[in-house]
Every structure is written in C-alpha cells, then in structure tokens.
Amino acid sequence: MLKKLALSLCLPLMLSTTAVTAAPLISDPVALMQSILQQERAWAGLETKTIKVEDFTFAYSEGGPKTAPTVLLVHGFSGSRDNWNRVARKLTKKYRVIALDLPGHGDTITPPTYEYTLANLSESVRKFVTAMGIQKDLNIAGHSLGGGISVLYSALYFLEVRSVLLVDTAGVYANAGNSLITKPQELSKLLARKPGDFERLVTQFATYSPPFVPKELMEGYEKIHMRRLAEQEKLMAGLTEQMKWYTPDTFQTGLRTLEAPVLVVWGDKDAIIGVEAVEEIKKNLKDGEYLILNDVGHTPILEADYPVSEAYIKFLDRVQKMPNKFAPATPAK
C-alpha cells in the first residue's frame, strides 16, 4: 500500500503487433517489422501521416470517415501508435480515428532539448490536437502512460472532451496491490537495454498469456525499441522524479475534475499496475463504466482487443447520443 507514489508513470505497452499477415521475405529484422506494421495499419484502415508543429514533427495514423466523431488514441510508455491497430480496425468503420506517436516514441521527431514530464507530454498532445483542428467534442483514449496523459488533458480541457477511455492507466495510487508500480526501485526493469530484455518485458510484465511472436519479429521490434532508449531513460527519470512531490490526492483530484463519461478497462492480472487501483478510480469519477477482463495483463488492447473494441464502440455510440452539458442554453422565446 503505497501512501506516496507519484507516477503518472506509465508503464509499458511494449508488445509488438501480432496480427497474422503475409510478409515479404526480408532478412533485416527491423525492415521486416516495419513492413508488417505498415501492412497492419492498412488492414486497420489507417494511413501514415505527419504534421509539423513548432519544433515537432508528429507521426500519426488516421482512418475512418472524415465527418464522423473523432477518437484520439494515445499509447503507453515505450509503445507506439501501432499498439492500437487492432482496436482501431473496429473503430474506423464508424469513427474518425487518429493514433499518435508521442514525443520520444515511434516516428515522431522531438526537439533534443525536450523535457520528458507528464505535463509536457500532455501539452504536446494539446499542440497536436489544435494543429489538427480536432479539439471540439474529442473522444480521447489512453493506455498506461497514455491514460495518465488522457486524465490530465481531459481535466485541463474538460469543455472540449466528449468522452475518455482509460486502459490500465498510469496514475498515483494509494493501493495498486503488489504490482511493479508499488516498487519504484524496480521500475528500471521496464527498459530494454540489451538483447533479450524486450522479450523479458513482454513475457514477464506486459502480458499475462504472451502470444507467440516469431523470433525475427521480436528481434525487429526490440531494435526499434532500443533506438529510443535515450529518450525512454529521460522519460523514466522525469516521471520517477515526480514521485518526490506528488501524492495519491493529486491524481484523485484530476479524476474528480473529469466531466466527460469515462470507460475504464483493466486486465485483472496486470503485473505493472494492479487491478486494485480500479476501486480507487471508482471512488473519484463522476460518470464511470468499468470492464475488468479475466486472465489479461497490462495490455488489453493487444491481449483482448475484441472485448475492448466491442465495449468501447458501445460506449462511444451511447456517448454521442448524450446532450452536451456545456452547450450554450437555448434562448427562451
């Protein structure tokens, strides 16, 4: 029971995509992995795009009807926009879907002087959202670190957020069971520094029942992952530093500030952020729905993409029919 854990830490979504695709014969593991990811984006109905915003070049995937309500998907620590591909495949049939590579992740180009803190990441998401012109009635979804960012973003810009999805979200919890987030001294285990580390992260921490991933794909994603090691070390250090000043009350205040309906999804076998945290979230949300998935670890968007997608689409459909409580009142006749 952690009385003072301030981490809007987020913990990895470090799992490679496992969609079954017919990949060309490529000897380089990185090139093979990138080829498969591109195929998977197309399978999900997504296109790869970039946008220049100040000193950033944000990489993102986009798909679905342009005039439909917008869903922004935010990945976790050491992950990428591709972690959402399986869920996005269901969403693009009805919604405009945008999946972003956060600063220090994926293909986004970040200024070398960027300071990796939760506040800066949230503000970077804001810059991307406003540059894209998607801030009005935004549906935002976050996994792990992306969940912590989504809470902060939705608390700050509550007039514009239509709904929130939190999946095994990072936060500052008084009780997260015996999970890794309660052991700050061991958080360095979430970084892959040498060959073999990435597979250990996937099998020991990120998933409960790890899927089969061919060796070549595992090697390719590990190399892609390790290219970002310097940025990930800065981010981990920045988030860990916040443990010196935040308490669970800080995170709870953010949750209580959320005005939009929230869907909370959690794997009951999450070894990184224990499912016990859900009870704490329940006590602080004004409008929450909850889905606990049995025998699922930290990455439900990969381990249980079908139930997550089905629940999220039903939630989104319901939310779109609800009146906007912040819309101007109709003038009396």
Side-chain angles (χ1 to χ4, degrees), residues 11 46 76 79 135 150 202 227 229 277 279 289 330:
L11 296 127
L46 299 169
Q135 60 267 43
S150 297
V202 170
R227 285 177 178 177
L229 179 59
E279 289 304 314
E289 296 181 25
T330 303

Side-chain angles (χ1 to χ4, degrees), residues 34 49 55 65 79 107 119-120 143 167 209 265 291:
Q34 290 174 334
K49 300 182 179 182
D55 294 332
D107 297 318
N120 283 350
H143 168 258
V167 183
S209 298
V265 176
L291 173 63

Side-chain angles (χ1 to χ4, degrees), residues 237-272:
L239 292 170
T240 304
E241 178 67 18
Q242 295 176 23
M243 295 172 63
K244 298 177 180 178
W245 356 300
Y246 290 142
T247 69
D249 288 342
T250 307
F251 186 63
Q252 292 166 9
T253 298
L255 292 172
R256 289 193 294 270
T257 305
L258 300 187
E259 295 288 345
V262 182
L263 173 62
V264 178
V265 176
W266 221 278
D268 74 337
K269 298 297 193 298
D270 190 337
I272 295 176

Side-chain angles (χ1 to χ4, degrees), residues 107-124:
D107 297 318
T108 286
I109 299 173
T110 309
T113 57
Y114 186 79
E115 294 185 14
Y116 290 93
T117 65
L118 185 73
N120 283 350
L121 288 168
S122 180
E123 188 56 27
S124 297

Side-chain angles (χ1 to χ4, degrees), residues 10 17 40 66 76 90 95 97 102 115 121 138 147 151 169 197-198 210 225 231 240 265 290:
C10 46
T17 174
E40 189 179 59
K66 290 282 189 181
K90 301 287 187 180
Y95 291 92
V97 177
L102 290 170
E115 294 185 14
L121 288 168
L138 182 65
V151 169
T169 193
D197 278 357
F198 183 77
H225 178 85
E231 290 95 335
T240 304
V265 176
Y290 305 89

